[in-house]
Amino acid sequence: EPEVTQTPSHQVTQMGQEVILRCVPISNHLYFYWYRQILGQKVEFLVSFYNNEISEKSEIFDDQFSVERPDGSNFTLKIRSTKLEDSAMYFCASSEGPGLIQYFGAGTRLSVL
Amino acid sequence: AQSVTQLGSHVSVSEGALVLLRCNYSSSVPPYLFWYVQYPNQGLQLLLKYTSAATLVKGINGFEAEFKKSETSFHLTKPSAHMSDAAEYFCAVSDQTNNLFFGTGTRLTVIP
């Protein structure tokens, strides 16, 4: 069964460093998403991406964040200068279209020290 | 604005007992509602989805949920818990933009 793959499963970084979280969506999907979950809190929407551009972003998704689909298969989330409060589980998801089921990856746990 | 509230961050049931996980929603438009499950070290997996058709929705693994507009609820149930049901369960609501708004999750423990 096709699945969304995220790497790495756990990323440890120092405050102020840049990190790139990687996702390989399901191959025929056109819509891509990033969510995050701070420990003990809700899963929060960060950004949606379609046709090589951001469709929508939340208030959390400030100038420190960016997304890219560099090669037609990977979908990346970059945090330019990490802060302690960026420590969270980051989930990537993809769907065939709007209103259709979103399939999630297993997540990347980001720990900022 | 859309949001969901899951009552109970932890629920424990005995094997074979009824599972009831509570979810209440708030939505300014007719909602799409979802239950996702997360097993350890895996991604979020869709259990079931409500999209304004039948109010009783059946999902995978014997789970079902009933949409009750009068109570703004979408509780998840399973008649008989199995050890393999132990996981984290997330209720979510979708708005017109297709983005999902999740609850804080409920961890289900099944006691043998």
Side-chain angles (χ1 to χ4, degrees), chain A:
Chain A
E1 185 177 324
E3 60 180 19
V4 175
T5 306
Q6 290 186 243
T7 55
S9 57
H10 191 190
Q11 174 86 49
V12 181
T13 189
Q14 296 289 324
M15 189 171 58
Q17 295 296 305
E18 175 183 284
V19 293
I20 298 176
L21 309 183
R22 292 183 165 76
C23 171
V24 178
I26 294 173
S27 61
N28 63 330
H29 286 187
L30 302 176
Y31 290 76
F32 314 112
Y33 312 84
W34 282 102
Y35 294 82
R36 79 170 186 191
Q37 184 183 28
I38 295 172
L39 188 64
Q41 298 185 25
K42 297 183 179 187
V43 177
E44 302 170 291
F45 167 75
L46 290 178
V47 65
S48 59
F49 190 86
Y50 169 71
N51 200 27
N52 283 319
E53 60 183 29
I54 291 174
S55 303
E56 189 172 358
K57 59 184 180 179
S58 71
E59 292 176 354
I60 302 166
F61 195 87
D62 61 22
D63 292 343
Q64 292 298 312
F65 291 89
S66 62
V67 290
E68 196 177 31
R69 194 142 190 258
D71 56 14
S73 61
N74 289 285
F75 178 52
T76 61
L77 174 69
K78 182 193 289 187
I79 308 176
R80 210 177 324 275
S81 177
T82 50
K83 302 187 284 286
L84 294 176
E85 53 264 38
D86 293 327
S87 296
M89 181 72 89
Y90 288 81
F91 292 104
C92 173
S94 68
S95 68
E96 287 184 82
L100 300 180
I101 295 170
Q102 294 184 29
Y103 293 85
F104 283 77
T108 293
R109 181 169 296 285
L110 176 65
S111 299
V112 182
L113 306 179

Side-chain angles (χ1 to χ4, degrees), chain A residues 33 35 42 56 99 102 105-106, chain B residues 36 43 49 97-100 104:
Chain A
Y33 312 84
Y35 294 82
K42 297 183 179 187
E56 189 172 358
Q102 294 184 29
Chain B
Y36 279 83
K49 173 181 178 181
T97 66
N98 191 45
N99 303 322
L100 292 173
T104 49

